[in-house]
Amino acid sequence: MLCSELNNTFIYDQQSFCDKTIIWNDKICEVRRGGLYDEGDSESYDQEKDITSAGGASEELALEGAEKGIKKLLSTSLGALESLTLDGADSLDGFPIGVPRFRWDNGYTFLHSLGMGSNSTYLNALHDAGRIGARVWSIFWGRMWIDEPLDGSVVIGGYDSDKVIGDNYTRPLDYTDFGGSGCWTGMKVIVRDIQINNRDGSDKSLFPPNTALPFCIVPQRQLLMEAPGNLLSQFEAETGTNYTAESFGLHWSAKIYDKDN
């Protein structure tokens, strides 16, 4: 999983550290992690003192809103060098990885974490090897529940222009506290309205007058938005739906609605 708040890459082995309150058996945990890494079966595994001595980034930002366990990842994880090959990308030999030794993800993060932060070891390695021209990346989650669904995609070193409309909007990443101008991924936006587009052509705002909500853009999160309760209540009132449960599938913890009887 691409993690915009991490610089290093962390891969789970047989000590998978799933939260037993929500992942209640080992098989589900293994599937949720995307398979488990076995150091003993690897011919290229080379253990190091820690991930920093293996050549990894020496700092992980643990700002307000990010996973709280990030603060301890560098000091507690095993460090190693390994050959890393992603589907559709060239192999990186002698790549620094960390193997977690405690449950740091609090149920949000399930897959192995590929650090794509401002000092990403993965982007640095690709750039230094001349495989990408810029240390940037983009993600398209895909489109579901339409007549012709679109698969998601990730572009390393640029973006897919076919997925972009409108004028470019460029700003530097801002990692100041969420209460200020930035947030833990460096990408903070202010949302001033959300509207429901009714079938009769009319629009209905869910925001009270003169409202502005700050949001941190977290590209790897599986939900479109984690909205405050009053906004969800207004959505239910305007759409005549009832919140009935939460999803345990692809969109983990997404709210499931039923028509109001």
Side-chain angles (χ1 to χ4, degrees):
M1 183 177 69
L2 308 179
C3 281
S4 54
E5 59 259 64
L6 291 179
N7 291 319
N8 291 296
T9 291
F10 295 90
I11 299 176
Y12 291 97
D13 63 2
Q14 300 302 315
Q15 298 186 47
S16 48
F17 299 105
C18 286
D19 185 346
K20 296 297 185 181
T21 64
I22 53 177
I23 304 295
W24 48 86
N25 68 54
D26 292 341
K27 178 53 68 175
I28 295 177
C29 179
E30 181 178 352
V31 171
R32 285 285 179 181
R33 292 300 192 203
L36 300 177
Y37 172 60
D38 189 338
E39 300 94 322
D41 283 345
S42 173
E43 297 181 355
S44 52
Y45 176 79
D46 184 7
Q47 185 166 339
E48 300 288 329
K49 179 181 178 181
D50 52 43
I51 191 169
T52 302
S53 61
S58 60
E59 183 181 18
E60 297 288 5
L61 295 179
L63 303 176
E64 179 186 359
E67 298 287 352
K68 294 181 179 180
I70 290 176
K71 295 179 181 179
K72 297 181 179 180
L73 267 176
L74 286 180
S75 61
T76 62
S77 298
L78 299 181
L81 296 172
E82 183 58 283
S83 292
L84 180 69
T85 304
L86 303 184
D87 187 22
D90 294 333
S91 174
L92 292 175
D93 297 325
F95 182 77
I97 64 169
V99 182
R101 279 297 173 258
F102 82 110
R103 183 171 63 83
W104 65 277
D105 59 12
N106 294 309
Y108 268 122
T109 306
F110 292 106
L111 297 171
H112 311 282
S113 299
L114 180 66
M116 302 292 276
S118 60
N119 190 28
S120 165
T121 56
Y122 181 65
L123 293 178
N124 288 341
L126 291 176
H127 186 264
D128 292 345
R131 298 177 186 176
I132 57 175
R135 296 175 56 262
V136 299
W137 60 283
S138 59
I139 183 171
F140 172 62
W141 268 85
R143 295 186 66 189
M144 302 169 63
W145 304 300
I146 58 176
D147 292 337
E148 297 182 6
L150 295 175
D151 289 336
S153 61
V154 174
V155 178
I156 306 297
Y159 67 95
D160 184 350
S161 60
D162 289 340
K163 303 294 193 303
V164 178
I165 60 174
D167 297 330
N168 290 337
Y169 179 71
T170 304
R171 290 192 62 182
L173 297 173
D174 186 346
Y175 291 98
T176 56
D177 288 338
F178 190 69
S181 58
C183 69
W184 68 95
T185 65
M187 297 175 285
K188 183 178 179 179
V189 296
I190 303 298
V191 177
R192 302 192 182 279
D193 198 8
I194 297 176
Q195 294 188 352
I196 294 176
N197 306 127
N198 296 311
R199 291 185 177 181
D200 62 5
S202 64
D203 298 326
K204 178 64 178 180
S205 173
L206 298 181
F207 276 30
N210 303 316
T211 298
L213 291 177
F215 286 92
C216 189
I217 298 176
V218 188
Q220 75 273 12
R221 288 269 175 101
Q222 70 278 15
L223 302 181
L224 176 63
M225 177 180 290
E226 296 177 15
N230 62 330
L231 189 60
L232 297 177
S233 298
Q234 183 66 15
F235 171 80
E236 292 183 15
E238 294 297 335
T239 58
T241 56
N242 282 327
Y243 158 61
T244 58
E246 293 187 355
S247 171
F248 289 95
L250 175 63
H251 299 94
W252 182 273
S253 80
K255 294 188 179 300
I256 300 174
Y257 289 91
D258 246 346
K259 286 288 292 181
D260 192 4
N261 294 324

